[in-house]
Amino acid sequence: MKPPRLNIYIVDDDEDVRRSLVMLLHAQGHAMQAFESGEAFLAQVDVASQYGCAVLDLRMQGMSGIEVFDQLLARRSPLVVLFLSGHGDIELALEQVKKGACDWIPKPSTPQVLAKLTPALELAAQRAVDHQRWSTLTDREREVVKPLARGLSSREIARLLKPEVGFRVVDTYRARIFEKLQVANATELAVWVARNGWLLREDPPHAKVKP
């Protein structure tokens, strides 16, 4: 599997902050784009298919960083989020971490971005791999992932599926899922699922379920 390109997106309505971060990250050889608003970022970037890190200012004119983050979650974007936050917004920033953001950086200490960016990009690389592997599953296999990760047996899962199937069919799904996601057992699958809550939101209904 080809290693994905990781991009960094800086979204901040403060031109001085954007310029500072661009200069800082450009010196490190990172590929990046800067946007003056959340609206511009979401309009110009296909966030559902890009891998990397989004550095969002918590408070901006127009769409806030929190609203941008909510959009990333709704679109199941693989982008890892770092928040830039003023000292008065620490609790608010921590709430976003609980929702799934990677971390937050207090303003004006933007040089801390480098220290926070390394683990964020490592997570982004893992998300990219997981995303690509997830895309190889059929709709039916995806339907089986969550109950399988909860430890349900093939017979129990078979009864949950609509239309219901035989448990040996579920055994086949199980084997395919383990192979495609490269996990050895249901315990490892549970870890995979916990790591990818951003990805395993409910799929939109499909007109036809693949076998």
Side-chain angles (χ1 to χ4, degrees):
M1 189 174 292
K2 184 179 179 181
R5 174 187 173 91
L6 299 180
N7 298 300
I8 300 172
Y9 302 100
I10 301 165
V11 187
D12 197 308
D13 59 358
D14 187 320
E15 184 177 355
D16 290 337
V17 172
R18 292 199 309 275
R19 184 183 300 113
S20 174
L21 288 175
V22 166
M23 292 177 61
L24 181 69
L25 299 177
H26 180 73
Q28 302 297 316
H30 293 296
M32 79 194 79
Q33 289 179 264
F35 300 88
E36 64 181 6
S37 71
E39 291 89 342
F41 168 57
L42 293 173
Q44 297 177 44
V45 177
D46 181 6
V47 297
S49 65
Q50 297 300 309
Y51 304 117
C53 182
V55 182
L56 308 177
D57 186 15
L58 195 65
R59 295 187 183 274
M60 293 184 285
Q61 295 294 323
M63 181 176 281
S64 71
I66 294 173
E67 291 173 313
V68 174
F69 183 39
D70 287 341
Q71 281 296 308
L72 296 181
L73 293 175
R75 301 181 193 188
R76 284 186 293 185
S77 171
L79 290 172
V80 174
V81 170
L82 290 173
F83 274 103
L84 296 174
S85 170
H87 290 294
D89 292 323
I90 293 176
E91 289 188 10
L92 192 56
L94 290 174
E95 288 178 8
Q96 305 315 302
V97 172
K98 292 178 181 178
K99 281 170 51 179
C102 180
D103 209 337
W104 64 281
I105 302 149
K107 283 187 173 184
S109 303
T110 48
Q112 289 190 29
V113 169
L114 291 180
K116 304 282 189 176
L117 194 59
T118 297
L121 289 176
E122 289 174 353
L123 177 57
Q126 182 61 62
R127 282 190 177 187
V129 171
D130 289 343
H131 195 196
Q132 290 169 352
R133 290 175 179 167
W134 178 257
S135 69
T136 66
L137 298 182
T138 67
D139 292 345
R140 198 58 144 164
E141 289 164 358
R142 293 183 186 187
E143 192 176 352
V144 170
V145 166
K146 285 185 179 180
L148 183 57
R150 294 201 305 268
L152 271 63
S153 69
S154 292
R155 291 183 185 276
E156 291 170 322
I157 295 172
R159 289 194 292 268
L160 290 175
L161 297 178
K162 303 297 181 186
E164 187 174 326
V165 299
F167 75 92
R168 294 193 184 281
V169 175
V170 178
D171 284 341
T172 300
Y173 293 152
R174 178 195 299 263
R176 289 178 184 171
I177 291 167
F178 288 172
E179 179 182 4
K180 292 178 179 181
L181 299 185
Q182 296 189 20
V183 297
N185 49 49
T187 300
E188 288 189 9
L189 180 62
V191 173
W192 195 98
V193 166
R195 185 173 70 229
N196 288 288
W198 63 277
L199 179 59
L200 273 72
R201 291 170 178 267
E202 291 300 318
D203 285 323
H206 295 276
K208 181 179 180 181
V209 175
K210 296 179 183 178

